[in-house]
Amino acid sequence: MATLRFHEFSGGLQSATTRFLRPANELTRAINVDFNKLGGIRKRLGYSKFSDTVNSGQNITGLHSYYRLNGDSYLLASSQANLYRSTGGVWTAMAGLASGANYEFATFIDEVFVCGYNSSTRAFDTIKNLDATALTTTNNLTSAPNAKIPIVFRQRLYLISLADRRSAFQYSATPTSSGTVITWPTTNIEEVRTDDGDELIGAGEVANRLVLFKQNSMHEWNEASIIQVASVGTPSHRSIVNSGQYLFFFSRSQAIKGFYAYGGGQPKLISGKIQEWCDGIADSGLSSIAGWKQGNDIVWYVGTITIGAETFSNSCIVYHLISNTWRIYQLDDAVLCTAPFISSNTQRPYIGTSDGDVHQMAVPGDTTYGDNGAAIAALFRTTELDLGSQEEVKRLSRSMFFAEEAQGLQVAMRADGGNWKSLGQLTKTVNEFSFLGSKGYYMEFEGKESSVNAPFTFLGFSISAELDSTFK
């Protein structure tokens, strides 16, 4: 009789290969868990409501953190026809937006520039400026065009995808010596290919380059010329996430749904390990994918994912920068927009939802164990383990499951793809279970736990097995 040990699961989610090629440290399900403790599996933290409700039952159509030189800081949220601000207390409404538009923001010269665009009606809102708490259409906006996206690049403000020239951008003059005034020369307009029938969708900065995205192409601007760098683009500006060294984004170009990293040269497809999950993202939500950086993770809210007969709602696809691994989150809310914000001296990601609330994501050290009070349902499942012999039937006799925090984690197993058999609940750091004669060519093990309790930390398991039949 042999004892086999499985105490390392740092490979994350992988569904691209057959079971014969999938290493034992990779998983076929990794829902609402993380691998931040190397080798182990831990249930993720949750999120909590920030301040009071912004606009009950209505979409949060934009979020932005506004830090001022005098030390003031506001979290801004747009919903219907109002822009709201909060320092952590109640939300204060400022009228003047267009209902139905999504809003993007950029802080420049101690002010916020606000662009709105309704993709359903293809209508632009009048560009706006927020100076402290004064929202106007005039301050530093003389001759400024309406646009989809404002972004700061090399001491100028850029406006991307103009109302009357959707493949063009315009940039401001550098600020005056006072640092408080900018102008908009009409000579500062550049076209990004007008022969491809494609309009500008998004933009980001990386390695001192302004990267411009269409649906099916990427371009760079170096303040002198524009070059096309790839025939890969994005359907969603909000999917573009800057990690410092790279821009990460979602693309569906060239009939491949997936996530890319770009730091110069050519963008690299990084999501091959989970192609099945990328293919399962509902087409109706591709233009609404929203991403954010959370510690060493890039998190993309993608909405509904369908894998065979299974449907995963309010889903996020999560990429760990250090380990190059993947996992899935399921949230209790639909995420429309995100922004980082510092509150109580701690920076957290904030998410705007479809029900009029803004939530703050928990970070290490927080004790938020539910999604705004709702239980988080965690599930992980091992690959099909043949215990070192693919051709022979193995009989299992006993097992030991290990945890740092058990938290009532339920464990189960199945043989040869059959029905799942419950083994029991983890209540201690070391837990022993009998298999009662279970046998098969290969085995799978899974753990489940759903609650608002503190996270479990699963460390692995050992099993005793012997050959039941020999292949000759």
Side-chain angles (χ1 to χ4, degrees), residues 9 12-14 22 24-31 33 41 310 312 378-385 412 414 420 443-448 461:
F9 303 98
L13 180 66
Q14 198 266 92
R22 188 181 297 116
N25 73 341
E26 293 183 339
L27 304 173
T28 60
R29 290 289 184 272
I31 311 294
V33 296
I41 302 173
E310 291 185 274
F312 301 87
L379 164 69
F380 62 86
R381 186 177 298 165
T382 70
T383 188
E384 300 89 338
L385 302 168
R414 68 178 177 180
W420 287 99
M443 315 291 171
E444 298 167 85
F445 298 85
E446 73 173 16
K448 289 182 177 180
F461 58 95

PDB file of all heavy atoms in Angstrom, residues 9 12-14 22 24-31 33 41 310 312 378-385 412 414 420 443-448 461:
ATOM      1  N   PHE A   9      -0.972  23.388  -4.743  1.00  0.00           N
ATOM      2  CA  PHE A   9      -1.984  23.711  -5.755  1.00  0.00           C
ATOM      3  C   PHE A   9      -1.732  25.084  -6.376  1.00  0.00           C
ATOM      4  O   PHE A   9      -2.665  25.822  -6.673  1.00  0.00           O
ATOM      5  CB  PHE A   9      -3.386  23.651  -5.128  1.00  0.00           C
ATOM      6  CG  PHE A   9      -3.700  22.328  -4.515  1.00  0.00           C
ATOM      7  CD1 PHE A   9      -3.544  22.125  -3.145  1.00  0.00           C
ATOM      8  CD2 PHE A   9      -4.116  21.267  -5.293  1.00  0.00           C
ATOM      9  CE1 PHE A   9      -3.820  20.895  -2.574  1.00  0.00           C
ATOM     10  CE2 PHE A   9      -4.387  20.027  -4.723  1.00  0.00           C
ATOM     11  CZ  PHE A   9      -4.241  19.839  -3.363  1.00  0.00           C
ATOM     12  N   GLY A  12      -3.174  26.809 -10.205  1.00  0.00           N
ATOM     13  CA  GLY A  12      -4.414  27.511 -10.511  1.00  0.00           C
ATOM     14  C   GLY A  12      -5.306  26.761 -11.485  1.00  0.00           C
ATOM     15  O   GLY A  12      -5.182  25.546 -11.692  1.00  0.00           O
ATOM     16  N   LEU A  13      -6.229  27.505 -12.095  1.00  0.00           N
ATOM     17  CA  LEU A  13      -7.225  26.940 -13.003  1.00  0.00           C
ATOM     18  C   LEU A  13      -6.593  26.661 -14.369  1.00  0.00           C
ATOM     19  O   LEU A  13      -5.869  27.495 -14.909  1.00  0.00           O
ATOM     20  CB  LEU A  13      -8.389  27.922 -13.145  1.00  0.00           C
ATOM     21  CG  LEU A  13      -9.557  27.527 -14.048  1.00  0.00           C
ATOM     22  CD1 LEU A  13     -10.293  26.318 -13.470  1.00  0.00           C
ATOM     23  CD2 LEU A  13     -10.522  28.702 -14.200  1.00  0.00           C
ATOM     24  N   GLN A  14      -6.906  25.472 -14.927  1.00  0.00           N
ATOM     25  CA  GLN A  14      -6.383  25.120 -16.247  1.00  0.00           C
ATOM     26  C   GLN A  14      -7.354  24.184 -16.916  1.00  0.00           C
ATOM     27  O   GLN A  14      -7.657  23.107 -16.406  1.00  0.00           O
ATOM     28  CB  GLN A  14      -5.003  24.468 -16.110  1.00  0.00           C
ATOM     29  CG  GLN A  14      -4.179  24.461 -17.401  1.00  0.00           C
ATOM     30  CD  GLN A  14      -4.344  23.182 -18.204  1.00  0.00           C
ATOM     31  OE1 GLN A  14      -5.210  23.113 -19.072  1.00  0.00           O
ATOM     32  NE2 GLN A  14      -3.530  22.180 -17.929  1.00  0.00           N
ATOM     33  N   ARG A  22      -2.448  17.608 -17.680  1.00  0.00           N
ATOM     34  CA  ARG A  22      -2.652  18.600 -16.627  1.00  0.00           C
ATOM     35  C   ARG A  22      -1.889  18.176 -15.363  1.00  0.00           C
ATOM     36  O   ARG A  22      -2.143  17.108 -14.812  1.00  0.00           O
ATOM     37  CB  ARG A  22      -4.138  18.750 -16.315  1.00  0.00           C
ATOM     38  CG  ARG A  22      -4.456  19.907 -15.363  1.00  0.00           C
ATOM     39  CD  ARG A  22      -5.949  19.996 -15.072  1.00  0.00           C
ATOM     40  NE  ARG A  22      -6.707  20.286 -16.267  1.00  0.00           N
ATOM     41  CZ  ARG A  22      -7.594  19.471 -16.820  1.00  0.00           C
ATOM     42  NH1 ARG A  22      -7.832  18.283 -16.273  1.00  0.00           N
ATOM     43  NH2 ARG A  22      -8.240  19.805 -17.912  1.00  0.00           N
ATOM     44  N   ALA A  24      -0.701  17.813 -11.460  1.00  0.00           N
ATOM     45  CA  ALA A  24      -1.511  17.577 -10.263  1.00  0.00           C
ATOM     46  C   ALA A  24      -1.747  18.844  -9.460  1.00  0.00           C
ATOM     47  O   ALA A  24      -2.679  18.893  -8.653  1.00  0.00           O
ATOM     48  CB  ALA A  24      -0.843  16.520  -9.384  1.00  0.00           C
ATOM     49  N   ASN A  25      -0.925  19.893  -9.667  1.00  0.00           N
ATOM     50  CA  ASN A  25      -1.112  21.122  -8.890  1.00  0.00           C
ATOM     51  C   ASN A  25      -2.049  22.107  -9.573  1.00  0.00           C
ATOM     52  O   ASN A  25      -2.228  23.223  -9.092  1.00  0.00           O
ATOM     53  CB  ASN A  25       0.234  21.777  -8.587  1.00  0.00           C
ATOM     54  CG  ASN A  25       0.864  22.434  -9.811  1.00  0.00           C
ATOM     55  OD1 ASN A  25       0.506  22.126 -10.950  1.00  0.00           O
ATOM     56  ND2 ASN A  25       1.813  23.320  -9.573  1.00  0.00           N
ATOM     57  N   GLU A  26      -2.664  21.718 -10.703  1.00  0.00           N
ATOM     58  CA  GLU A  26      -3.640  22.572 -11.372  1.00  0.00           C
ATOM     59  C   GLU A  26      -5.049  22.063 -11.102  1.00  0.00           C
ATOM     60  O   GLU A  26      -5.254  20.874 -10.820  1.00  0.00           O
ATOM     61  CB  GLU A  26      -3.366  22.619 -12.874  1.00  0.00           C
ATOM     62  CG  GLU A  26      -2.062  23.328 -13.202  1.00  0.00           C
ATOM     63  CD  GLU A  26      -1.800  23.439 -14.677  1.00  0.00           C
ATOM     64  OE1 GLU A  26      -2.379  22.657 -15.475  1.00  0.00           O
ATOM     65  OE2 GLU A  26      -0.995  24.310 -15.070  1.00  0.00           O
ATOM     66  N   LEU A  27      -6.027  22.966 -11.209  1.00  0.00           N
ATOM     67  CA  LEU A  27      -7.414  22.680 -10.848  1.00  0.00           C
ATOM     68  C   LEU A  27      -8.324  22.796 -12.060  1.00  0.00           C
ATOM     69  O   LEU A  27      -8.049  23.555 -12.995  1.00  0.00           O
ATOM     70  CB  LEU A  27      -7.883  23.658  -9.765  1.00  0.00           C
ATOM     71  CG  LEU A  27      -7.049  23.708  -8.476  1.00  0.00           C
ATOM     72  CD1 LEU A  27      -7.534  24.849  -7.580  1.00  0.00           C
ATOM     73  CD2 LEU A  27      -7.115  22.377  -7.736  1.00  0.00           C
ATOM     74  N   THR A  28      -9.440  22.062 -12.023  1.00  0.00           N
ATOM     75  CA  THR A  28     -10.448  22.201 -13.073  1.00  0.00           C
ATOM     76  C   THR A  28     -11.582  23.134 -12.649  1.00  0.00           C
ATOM     77  O   THR A  28     -12.379  23.548 -13.493  1.00  0.00           O
ATOM     78  CB  THR A  28     -11.038  20.827 -13.440  1.00  0.00           C
ATOM     79  OG1 THR A  28     -11.641  20.242 -12.275  1.00  0.00           O
ATOM     80  CG2 THR A  28      -9.939  19.911 -13.967  1.00  0.00           C
ATOM     81  N   ARG A  29     -11.652  23.449 -11.370  1.00  0.00           N
ATOM     82  CA  ARG A  29     -12.558  24.480 -10.868  1.00  0.00           C
ATOM     83  C   ARG A  29     -11.817  25.252  -9.778  1.00  0.00           C
ATOM     84  O   ARG A  29     -11.187  24.650  -8.893  1.00  0.00           O
ATOM     85  CB  ARG A  29     -13.853  23.895 -10.280  1.00  0.00           C
ATOM     86  CG  ARG A  29     -14.800  23.297 -11.300  1.00  0.00           C
ATOM     87  CD  ARG A  29     -15.450  24.376 -12.163  1.00  0.00           C
ATOM     88  NE  ARG A  29     -16.436  23.836 -13.077  1.00  0.00           N
ATOM     89  CZ  ARG A  29     -16.164  23.384 -14.299  1.00  0.00           C
ATOM     90  NH1 ARG A  29     -14.901  23.379 -14.722  1.00  0.00           N
ATOM     91  NH2 ARG A  29     -17.117  22.927 -15.085  1.00  0.00           N
ATOM     92  N   ALA A  30     -11.924  26.564  -9.824  1.00  0.00           N
ATOM     93  CA  ALA A  30     -11.324  27.426  -8.803  1.00  0.00           C
ATOM     94  C   ALA A  30     -12.218  28.650  -8.680  1.00  0.00           C
ATOM     95  O   ALA A  30     -11.958  29.706  -9.271  1.00  0.00           O
ATOM     96  CB  ALA A  30      -9.902  27.821  -9.182  1.00  0.00           C
ATOM     97  N   ILE A  31     -13.310  28.509  -7.927  1.00  0.00           N
ATOM     98  CA  ILE A  31     -14.357  29.530  -7.826  1.00  0.00           C
ATOM     99  C   ILE A  31     -14.278  30.194  -6.452  1.00  0.00           C
ATOM    100  O   ILE A  31     -14.359  29.526  -5.418  1.00  0.00           O
ATOM    101  CB  ILE A  31     -15.762  28.919  -8.008  1.00  0.00           C
ATOM    102  CG1 ILE A  31     -15.810  28.021  -9.247  1.00  0.00           C
ATOM    103  CG2 ILE A  31     -16.807  30.025  -8.064  1.00  0.00           C
ATOM    104  CD1 ILE A  31     -15.622  28.741 -10.550  1.00  0.00           C
ATOM    105  N   VAL A  33     -11.838  31.513  -4.811  1.00  0.00           N
ATOM    106  CA  VAL A  33     -10.679  31.171  -3.986  1.00  0.00           C
ATOM    107  C   VAL A  33      -9.478  31.962  -4.488  1.00  0.00           C
ATOM    108  O   VAL A  33      -9.496  32.535  -5.582  1.00  0.00           O
ATOM    109  CB  VAL A  33     -10.363  29.655  -4.030  1.00  0.00           C
ATOM    110  CG1 VAL A  33     -11.501  28.853  -3.418  1.00  0.00           C
ATOM    111  CG2 VAL A  33     -10.070  29.178  -5.456  1.00  0.00           C
ATOM    112  N   ILE A  41      -4.946  26.774  -0.812  1.00  0.00           N
ATOM    113  CA  ILE A  41      -6.153  27.330  -1.417  1.00  0.00           C
ATOM    114  C   ILE A  41      -6.930  28.036  -0.322  1.00  0.00           C
ATOM    115  O   ILE A  41      -7.237  27.441   0.721  1.00  0.00           O
ATOM    116  CB  ILE A  41      -7.029  26.232  -2.046  1.00  0.00           C
ATOM    117  CG1 ILE A  41      -6.243  25.456  -3.116  1.00  0.00           C
ATOM    118  CG2 ILE A  41      -8.298  26.838  -2.641  1.00  0.00           C
ATOM    119  CD1 ILE A  41      -6.989  24.245  -3.651  1.00  0.00           C
ATOM    120  N   GLU A 310     -23.221  24.344 -17.471  1.00  0.00           N
ATOM    121  CA  GLU A 310     -23.113  25.189 -16.284  1.00  0.00           C
ATOM    122  C   GLU A 310     -23.074  26.666 -16.671  1.00  0.00           C
ATOM    123  O   GLU A 310     -22.388  27.051 -17.629  1.00  0.00           O
ATOM    124  CB  GLU A 310     -21.841  24.858 -15.504  1.00  0.00           C
ATOM    125  CG  GLU A 310     -21.838  23.517 -14.827  1.00  0.00           C
ATOM    126  CD  GLU A 310     -20.590  23.317 -13.987  1.00  0.00           C
ATOM    127  OE1 GLU A 310     -19.571  22.867 -14.540  1.00  0.00           O
ATOM    128  OE2 GLU A 310     -20.624  23.638 -12.781  1.00  0.00           O
ATOM    129  N   PHE A 312     -22.344  30.489 -14.992  1.00  0.00           N
ATOM    130  CA  PHE A 312     -21.772  31.232 -13.878  1.00  0.00           C
ATOM    131  C   PHE A 312     -22.140  32.710 -14.065  1.00  0.00           C
ATOM    132  O   PHE A 312     -21.715  33.333 -15.037  1.00  0.00           O
ATOM    133  CB  PHE A 312     -20.250  31.053 -13.838  1.00  0.00           C
ATOM    134  CG  PHE A 312     -19.814  29.623 -13.699  1.00  0.00           C
ATOM    135  CD1 PHE A 312     -19.656  28.811 -14.827  1.00  0.00           C
ATOM    136  CD2 PHE A 312     -19.578  29.066 -12.447  1.00  0.00           C
ATOM    137  CE1 PHE A 312     -19.256  27.495 -14.710  1.00  0.00           C
ATOM    138  CE2 PHE A 312     -19.179  27.743 -12.317  1.00  0.00           C
ATOM    139  CZ  PHE A 312     -19.024  26.951 -13.453  1.00  0.00           C
ATOM    140  N   ALA A 378     -17.555  29.150  -2.191  1.00  0.00           N
ATOM    141  CA  ALA A 378     -16.260  28.744  -2.731  1.00  0.00           C
ATOM    142  C   ALA A 378     -16.309  27.288  -3.187  1.00  0.00           C
ATOM    143  O   ALA A 378     -16.959  26.448  -2.562  1.00  0.00           O
ATOM    144  CB  ALA A 378     -15.172  28.929  -1.688  1.00  0.00           C
ATOM    145  N   LEU A 379     -15.596  27.022  -4.292  1.00  0.00           N
ATOM    146  CA  LEU A 379     -15.505  25.664  -4.817  1.00  0.00           C
ATOM    147  C   LEU A 379     -14.148  25.488  -5.482  1.00  0.00           C
ATOM    148  O   LEU A 379     -13.734  26.326  -6.290  1.00  0.00           O
ATOM    149  CB  LEU A 379     -16.613  25.403  -5.843  1.00  0.00           C
ATOM    150  CG  LEU A 379     -16.444  24.178  -6.753  1.00  0.00           C
ATOM    151  CD1 LEU A 379     -16.581  22.888  -5.958  1.00  0.00           C
ATOM    152  CD2 LEU A 379     -17.448  24.209  -7.905  1.00  0.00           C
ATOM    153  N   PHE A 380     -13.446  24.418  -5.133  1.00  0.00           N
ATOM    154  CA  PHE A 380     -12.247  24.045  -5.893  1.00  0.00           C
ATOM    155  C   PHE A 380     -12.306  22.558  -6.185  1.00  0.00           C
ATOM    156  O   PHE A 380     -12.888  21.773  -5.431  1.00  0.00           O
ATOM    157  CB  PHE A 380     -10.962  24.416  -5.140  1.00  0.00           C
ATOM    158  CG  PHE A 380     -10.776  23.734  -3.815  1.00  0.00           C
ATOM    159  CD1 PHE A 380     -10.185  22.470  -3.728  1.00  0.00           C
ATOM    160  CD2 PHE A 380     -11.183  24.348  -2.633  1.00  0.00           C
ATOM    161  CE1 PHE A 380     -10.010  21.834  -2.499  1.00  0.00           C
ATOM    162  CE2 PHE A 380     -11.007  23.720  -1.402  1.00  0.00           C
ATOM    163  CZ  PHE A 380     -10.422  22.461  -1.337  1.00  0.00           C
ATOM    164  N   ARG A 381     -11.708  22.174  -7.313  1.00  0.00           N
ATOM    165  CA  ARG A 381     -11.754  20.780  -7.751  1.00  0.00           C
ATOM    166  C   ARG A 381     -10.414  20.413  -8.369  1.00  0.00           C
ATOM    167  O   ARG A 381      -9.888  21.142  -9.220  1.00  0.00           O
ATOM    168  CB  ARG A 381     -12.883  20.574  -8.761  1.00  0.00           C
ATOM    169  CG  ARG A 381     -13.120  19.143  -9.187  1.00  0.00           C
ATOM    170  CD  ARG A 381     -14.313  19.061 -10.136  1.00  0.00           C
ATOM    171  NE  ARG A 381     -15.540  19.512  -9.482  1.00  0.00           N
ATOM    172  CZ  ARG A 381     -16.661  19.824 -10.140  1.00  0.00           C
ATOM    173  NH1 ARG A 381     -16.703  19.738 -11.461  1.00  0.00           N
ATOM    174  NH2 ARG A 381     -17.727  20.221  -9.470  1.00  0.00           N
ATOM    175  N   THR A 382      -9.874  19.293  -7.939  1.00  0.00           N
ATOM    176  CA  THR A 382      -8.584  18.856  -8.471  1.00  0.00           C
ATOM    177  C   THR A 382      -8.737  18.326  -9.894  1.00  0.00           C
ATOM    178  O   THR A 382      -9.848  18.036 -10.366  1.00  0.00           O
ATOM    179  CB  THR A 382      -7.980  17.730  -7.622  1.00  0.00           C
ATOM    180  OG1 THR A 382      -8.756  16.535  -7.802  1.00  0.00           O
ATOM    181  CG2 THR A 382      -7.927  18.102  -6.148  1.00  0.00           C
ATOM    182  N   THR A 383      -7.614  18.199 -10.565  1.00  0.00           N
ATOM    183  CA  THR A 383      -7.611  17.473 -11.823  1.00  0.00           C
ATOM    184  C   THR A 383      -7.859  15.990 -11.571  1.00  0.00           C
ATOM    185  O   THR A 383      -7.924  15.539 -10.406  1.00  0.00           O
ATOM    186  CB  THR A 383      -6.266  17.650 -12.552  1.00  0.00           C
ATOM    187  OG1 THR A 383      -6.361  17.074 -13.860  1.00  0.00           O
ATOM    188  CG2 THR A 383      -5.123  17.006 -11.787  1.00  0.00           C
ATOM    189  N   GLU A 384      -8.019  15.200 -12.627  1.00  0.00           N
ATOM    190  CA  GLU A 384      -8.238  13.772 -12.507  1.00  0.00           C
ATOM    191  C   GLU A 384      -6.897  13.108 -12.170  1.00  0.00           C
ATOM    192  O   GLU A 384      -5.991  13.068 -13.010  1.00  0.00           O
ATOM    193  CB  GLU A 384      -8.806  13.205 -13.807  1.00  0.00           C
ATOM    194  CG  GLU A 384     -10.129  13.818 -14.202  1.00  0.00           C
ATOM    195  CD  GLU A 384     -10.013  15.070 -15.074  1.00  0.00           C
ATOM    196  OE1 GLU A 384      -8.932  15.722 -15.047  1.00  0.00           O
ATOM    197  OE2 GLU A 384     -10.979  15.400 -15.765  1.00  0.00           O
ATOM    198  N   LEU A 385      -6.775  12.601 -10.966  1.00  0.00           N
ATOM    199  CA  LEU A 385      -5.516  12.060 -10.461  1.00  0.00           C
ATOM    200  C   LEU A 385      -5.480  10.555 -10.689  1.00  0.00           C
ATOM    201  O   LEU A 385      -6.316   9.811 -10.160  1.00  0.00           O
ATOM    202  CB  LEU A 385      -5.372  12.369  -8.976  1.00  0.00           C
ATOM    203  CG  LEU A 385      -5.418  13.864  -8.603  1.00  0.00           C
ATOM    204  CD1 LEU A 385      -5.567  14.047  -7.101  1.00  0.00           C
ATOM    205  CD2 LEU A 385      -4.167  14.568  -9.112  1.00  0.00           C
ATOM    206  N   ALA A 412     -15.291  16.148  -0.928  1.00  0.00           N
ATOM    207  CA  ALA A 412     -15.931  15.020  -1.609  1.00  0.00           C
ATOM    208  C   ALA A 412     -14.971  14.460  -2.636  1.00  0.00           C
ATOM    209  O   ALA A 412     -13.965  15.093  -2.991  1.00  0.00           O
ATOM    210  CB  ALA A 412     -17.231  15.470  -2.269  1.00  0.00           C
ATOM    211  N   ARG A 414     -14.839  11.618  -6.334  1.00  0.00           N
ATOM    212  CA  ARG A 414     -15.514  10.730  -7.272  1.00  0.00           C
ATOM    213  C   ARG A 414     -14.457   9.975  -8.074  1.00  0.00           C
ATOM    214  O   ARG A 414     -13.331  10.455  -8.240  1.00  0.00           O
ATOM    215  CB  ARG A 414     -16.462  11.483  -8.200  1.00  0.00           C
ATOM    216  CG  ARG A 414     -15.801  12.404  -9.210  1.00  0.00           C
ATOM    217  CD  ARG A 414     -16.866  13.036 -10.102  1.00  0.00           C
ATOM    218  NE  ARG A 414     -16.273  13.989 -11.039  1.00  0.00           N
ATOM    219  CZ  ARG A 414     -16.979  14.686 -11.932  1.00  0.00           C
ATOM    220  NH1 ARG A 414     -18.293  14.546 -11.986  1.00  0.00           N
ATOM    221  NH2 ARG A 414     -16.369  15.532 -12.745  1.00  0.00           N
ATOM    222  N   TRP A 420     -20.476  12.187  -7.245  1.00  0.00           N
ATOM    223  CA  TRP A 420     -19.679  12.693  -6.131  1.00  0.00           C
ATOM    224  C   TRP A 420     -20.130  12.017  -4.832  1.00  0.00           C
ATOM    225  O   TRP A 420     -21.323  11.827  -4.588  1.00  0.00           O
ATOM    226  CB  TRP A 420     -19.830  14.209  -6.008  1.00  0.00           C
ATOM    227  CG  TRP A 420     -19.096  14.940  -7.094  1.00  0.00           C
ATOM    228  CD1 TRP A 420     -19.623  15.444  -8.245  1.00  0.00           C
ATOM    229  CD2 TRP A 420     -17.698  15.218  -7.137  1.00  0.00           C
ATOM    230  NE1 TRP A 420     -18.641  16.017  -9.000  1.00  0.00           N
ATOM    231  CE2 TRP A 420     -17.440  15.908  -8.351  1.00  0.00           C
ATOM    232  CE3 TRP A 420     -16.634  14.963  -6.272  1.00  0.00           C
ATOM    233  CZ2 TRP A 420     -16.170  16.340  -8.718  1.00  0.00           C
ATOM    234  CZ3 TRP A 420     -15.369  15.400  -6.637  1.00  0.00           C
ATOM    235  CH2 TRP A 420     -15.136  16.062  -7.843  1.00  0.00           C
ATOM    236  N   MET A 443      -9.154   9.567  -9.837  1.00  0.00           N
ATOM    237  CA  MET A 443      -9.985  10.161  -8.791  1.00  0.00           C
ATOM    238  C   MET A 443      -9.947  11.681  -8.897  1.00  0.00           C
ATOM    239  O   MET A 443      -8.954  12.264  -9.326  1.00  0.00           O
ATOM    240  CB  MET A 443      -9.474   9.771  -7.401  1.00  0.00           C
ATOM    241  CG  MET A 443      -9.113   8.303  -7.245  1.00  0.00           C
ATOM    242  SD  MET A 443     -10.570   7.253  -7.296  1.00  0.00           S
ATOM    243  CE  MET A 443      -9.791   5.627  -7.375  1.00  0.00           C
ATOM    244  N   GLU A 444     -11.053  12.323  -8.506  1.00  0.00           N
ATOM    245  CA  GLU A 444     -11.107  13.781  -8.359  1.00  0.00           C
ATOM    246  C   GLU A 444     -11.564  14.104  -6.947  1.00  0.00           C
ATOM    247  O   GLU A 444     -12.367  13.375  -6.357  1.00  0.00           O
ATOM    248  CB  GLU A 444     -12.081  14.399  -9.352  1.00  0.00           C
ATOM    249  CG  GLU A 444     -11.734  14.202 -10.804  1.00  0.00           C
ATOM    250  CD  GLU A 444     -12.898  14.566 -11.694  1.00  0.00           C
ATOM    251  OE1 GLU A 444     -13.044  15.762 -12.012  1.00  0.00           O
ATOM    252  OE2 GLU A 444     -13.678  13.650 -12.050  1.00  0.00           O
ATOM    253  N   PHE A 445     -11.072  15.211  -6.429  1.00  0.00           N
ATOM    254  CA  PHE A 445     -11.453  15.672  -5.098  1.00  0.00           C
ATOM    255  C   PHE A 445     -11.889  17.126  -5.197  1.00  0.00           C
ATOM    256  O   PHE A 445     -11.350  17.895  -6.002  1.00  0.00           O
ATOM    257  CB  PHE A 445     -10.277  15.533  -4.131  1.00  0.00           C
ATOM    258  CG  PHE A 445      -9.824  14.116  -3.947  1.00  0.00           C
ATOM    259  CD1 PHE A 445      -8.930  13.537  -4.833  1.00  0.00           C
ATOM    260  CD2 PHE A 445     -10.303  13.341  -2.904  1.00  0.00           C
ATOM    261  CE1 PHE A 445      -8.509  12.219  -4.693  1.00  0.00           C
ATOM    262  CE2 PHE A 445      -9.893  12.021  -2.737  1.00  0.00           C
ATOM    263  CZ  PHE A 445      -8.997  11.457  -3.636  1.00  0.00           C
ATOM    264  N   GLU A 446     -12.874  17.496  -4.387  1.00  0.00           N
ATOM    265  CA  GLU A 446     -13.323  18.887  -4.393  1.00  0.00           C
ATOM    266  C   GLU A 446     -13.631  19.355  -2.971  1.00  0.00           C
ATOM    267  O   GLU A 446     -13.905  18.551  -2.072  1.00  0.00           O
ATOM    268  CB  GLU A 446     -14.552  19.089  -5.291  1.00  0.00           C
ATOM    269  CG  GLU A 446     -15.853  18.547  -4.755  1.00  0.00           C
ATOM    270  CD  GLU A 446     -17.054  18.934  -5.608  1.00  0.00           C
ATOM    271  OE1 GLU A 446     -16.867  19.364  -6.772  1.00  0.00           O
ATOM    272  OE2 GLU A 446     -18.194  18.815  -5.108  1.00  0.00           O
ATOM    273  N   GLY A 447     -13.567  20.666  -2.810  1.00  0.00           N
ATOM    274  CA  GLY A 447     -13.939  21.294  -1.556  1.00  0.00           C
ATOM    275  C   GLY A 447     -14.972  22.372  -1.801  1.00  0.00           C
ATOM    276  O   GLY A 447     -14.899  23.090  -2.798  1.00  0.00           O
ATOM    277  N   LYS A 448     -15.955  22.469  -0.902  1.00  0.00           N
ATOM    278  CA  LYS A 448     -17.021  23.464  -1.014  1.00  0.00           C
ATOM    279  C   LYS A 448     -17.258  24.104   0.344  1.00  0.00           C
ATOM    280  O   LYS A 448     -17.185  23.432   1.375  1.00  0.00           O
ATOM    281  CB  LYS A 448     -18.344  22.832  -1.466  1.00  0.00           C
ATOM    282  CG  LYS A 448     -18.408  22.363  -2.887  1.00  0.00           C
ATOM    283  CD  LYS A 448     -19.804  21.805  -3.171  1.00  0.00           C
ATOM    284  CE  LYS A 448     -19.978  21.382  -4.598  1.00  0.00           C
ATOM    285  NZ  LYS A 448     -21.351  20.853  -4.849  1.00  0.00           N
ATOM    286  N   PHE A 461      -3.954  17.109   0.873  1.00  0.00           N
ATOM    287  CA  PHE A 461      -4.426  15.834   1.396  1.00  0.00           C
ATOM    288  C   PHE A 461      -3.436  14.728   1.047  1.00  0.00           C
ATOM    289  O   PHE A 461      -2.611  14.853   0.126  1.00  0.00           O
ATOM    290  CB  PHE A 461      -5.815  15.489   0.851  1.00  0.00           C
ATOM    291  CG  PHE A 461      -5.904  15.417  -0.654  1.00  0.00           C
ATOM    292  CD1 PHE A 461      -5.766  14.208  -1.319  1.00  0.00           C
ATOM    293  CD2 PHE A 461      -6.135  16.563  -1.411  1.00  0.00           C
ATOM    294  CE1 PHE A 461      -5.855  14.123  -2.695  1.00  0.00           C
ATOM    295  CE2 PHE A 461      -6.218  16.498  -2.801  1.00  0.00           C
ATOM    296  CZ  PHE A 461      -6.079  15.280  -3.445  1.00  0.00           C
TER     297      PHE A 461
END
